[in-house]
Amino acid sequence: MNLTIVVPVYNLESHVAPMLDSLLHQSEKQYEVIIVDDGSTDQTYNTINAFLTVHPSLQCRILRTDNHGVSAARNKGLYAASGKYVMFLDGDDYVSTDLVQTLQTNVTDREPDIICWGYNLVREDQSTIVSFTSNLNHISGIQALEKIFVEKSLRIWTGSIAYKRDFLLKHEIQYTEQCINGEDQEFIYKALSRASKVTSLPEVLSFYLQRGSSISNSYNVKKFDVVDAFKRVDAYFRTHFSGELEPISDLLLNREMTENYFFNLNTCLSNTQGVRIQKLLQDIDQTYPKLTQEMHGIMKHYNGTDKKLSFQIKAFLFSPGLYQRFIHWDRSIVHLKSRIKTVLKVQANS
């Protein structure tokens, strides 16, 4: 098969060990690893280099660059790769020891443009939060997009998908640099739209670590880059397909954009003490002029099935302050339930 695993890293000295261990212990050895150190200022490079010195059997190259962001690092790894297939894994995530062998078994005959598989969201102690799997399928990329957006029976994450390298180069698909959120979805959706053959596997082969200090759990207005990422996907669909993907675009620019917008609002407010929503909205408008106004129009036509989100949308449109009080109240309830569950567990074990 020959697989290249591209791993961008930035200041992850305390988090790279599980990733390195999982790659070292692969049951099939026909793969290479390219680690792109994106200008780390801590001991990330030395930590990885020390690991490779002790374990020279791991076929791994480290490319060092100035800090240009994760998208630029992934693109650099893509162009440096020599494998027939390429996948992207973040430096604090990890994979099953059977990843390479399972992929090789399933691409030998069909040689799909894209192969994807199940994955788990995991905590820092490696316990599972939720598992995302789908049935075995041999489908087109457009059918895969329908399963993602219409049927909602397929979930794909950056680290749960591999591509034929020549396929990506032929269609000039790369990560949008300087975009820090939504760039991964943009890449996946564009690639799927071009794929003739996609294989999805039911096995869980990769693990997506949920760290409290990650961008998704912090106050960072640049998370709203996802809006422009989705717009670029829509423009790509309209340029290369004559209406065939219009239903997908409609879902992307309405339901999906609304859900992502509120997810980012929630993480900005829920994990930051003392920040009022009015300040957040001012920061958003300063970085993305007229975005809030645009989102108001989209929210009014939200047609998703998430009742809790529908309530949040109504509260937000009525009064952003009311919306903030609601999510703080909801967080308090979640924390209370967690404490009660912990107490009951302790009592049951005593």
Side-chain angles (χ1 to χ4, degrees):
M1 172 195 178
N2 294 326
L3 172 70
T4 298
I5 303 172
V6 175
V7 186
V9 295
Y10 177 74
N11 289 355
L12 288 175
E13 60 178 325
S14 300
H15 301 281
V16 294
M19 176 270 296
L20 292 169
D21 284 334
S22 71
L23 297 180
L24 174 66
H25 294 105
Q26 287 298 302
S27 55
E28 168 58 55
K29 303 302 181 183
Q30 290 189 34
Y31 68 99
E32 68 168 356
V33 180
I34 296 178
I35 295 178
V36 184
D37 184 351
D38 185 38
S40 293
T41 57
D42 64 357
Q43 294 298 308
T44 296
Y45 174 81
N46 292 335
T47 300
I48 296 171
N49 197 47
F51 183 93
L52 297 178
T53 300
V54 175
H55 302 287
S57 61
L58 181 60
Q59 298 181 55
C60 180
R61 289 182 280 157
I62 309 178
L63 308 180
R64 303 186 78 179
T65 70
D66 294 333
N67 180 235
H68 295 299
V70 67
S71 292
R74 287 174 181 154
N75 288 337
K76 187 174 184 67
L78 170 62
Y79 295 124
S82 61
K84 186 172 185 176
Y85 284 82
V86 61
M87 67 168 286
F88 303 92
L89 184 71
D90 287 342
D92 52 357
D93 301 318
Y94 54 97
V95 297
S96 163
T97 55
D98 295 328
L99 169 76
V100 179
Q101 184 175 39
T102 303
L103 298 190
Q104 179 169 308
T105 299
N106 283 278
V107 304
T108 301
D109 295 329
R110 298 182 61 86
E111 291 202 359
D113 298 316
I114 293 174
I115 184 168
C116 56
W117 53 89
Y119 68 96
N120 287 352
L121 297 185
V122 296
R123 302 178 181 88
E124 295 192 53
D125 63 2
Q126 299 192 356
S127 61
T128 299
I129 300 170
V130 63
S131 183
F132 296 109
T133 61
S134 63
N135 296 326
L136 174 66
N137 285 298
H138 301 293
I139 53 180
S140 71
I142 290 178
Q143 288 173 320
L145 286 169
E146 290 171 348
K147 287 185 177 296
I148 292 170
F149 287 98
V150 180
E151 300 175 20
K152 288 197 167 186
S153 61
L154 180 63
R155 288 279 294 259
I156 300 176
W157 152 64
T158 303
S160 70
I161 183 170
Y163 315 82
K164 263 189 178 177
R165 182 173 178 272
D166 288 348
F167 160 79
L168 294 178
L169 298 179
K170 174 185 175 181
H171 294 291
E172 299 181 330
I173 296 171
Q174 62 178 6
Y175 287 91
T176 299
E177 300 186 9
Q178 303 305 315
C179 175
I180 71 165
N181 191 30
E183 82 295 338
D184 46 357
Q185 294 152 293
E186 177 185 354
F187 187 96
I188 291 168
Y189 300 155
K190 286 179 177 178
L192 286 173
S193 73
R194 292 290 202 162
S196 298
K197 293 192 292 185
V198 175
T199 294
S200 67
L201 306 177
E203 294 92 341
V204 170
L205 298 175
S206 52
F207 303 88
Y208 185 5
L209 180 66
Q210 304 299 287
R211 279 196 298 129
S213 58
S214 67
I215 181 177
S216 61
N217 292 304
S218 63
Y219 185 97
N220 188 331
V221 175
K222 290 293 288 178
K223 287 191 284 191
F224 294 90
D225 276 358
V226 67
V227 173
D228 285 337
F230 283 5
K231 289 179 180 179
R232 287 192 296 270
V233 174
D234 171 60
Y236 188 87
F237 287 173
R238 295 182 189 281
T239 299
H240 295 285
F241 304 91
S242 55
E244 187 176 5
L245 288 174
E246 188 171 344
I248 304 298
S249 279
D250 288 343
L251 290 169
L252 184 68
L253 296 181
N254 290 280
R255 185 190 70 198
E256 299 298 316
M257 191 169 310
T258 302
E259 291 176 357
N260 273 269
Y261 182 83
F262 273 91
F263 175 80
N264 291 322
L265 283 179
N266 291 352
T267 57
C268 281
L269 295 171
S270 295
N271 298 288
T272 308
Q273 296 295 327
V275 175
R276 298 186 62 79
I277 191 169
Q278 288 79 8
K279 173 65 166 60
L280 173 59
L281 294 177
Q282 288 174 2
D283 289 346
I284 292 172
D285 285 338
Q286 192 169 27
T287 308
Y288 310 94
K290 299 183 180 180
L291 174 58
T292 301
Q293 180 181 350
E294 178 184 358
M295 288 306 304
H296 276 202
I298 294 173
M299 289 173 204
K300 292 175 182 177
H301 298 93
Y302 175 71
N303 60 356
T305 58
D306 189 328
K307 293 182 180 179
K308 181 178 176 181
L309 179 58
S310 295
F311 179 82
Q312 290 184 18
I313 290 170
K314 292 176 182 177
F316 180 82
L317 292 174
F318 179 76
S319 166
L322 176 62
Y323 160 77
Q324 183 171 20
R325 286 194 294 273
F326 171 78
I327 63 170
H328 278 224
W329 172 80
D330 185 60
R331 182 179 60 171
S332 298
I333 295 296
V334 170
H335 287 175
L336 177 60
K337 288 181 178 178
S338 178
R339 287 198 297 270
I340 292 172
K341 187 180 294 185
T342 300
V343 170
L344 293 175
K345 186 175 181 180
V346 170
Q347 290 177 346
N349 293 331
S350 60

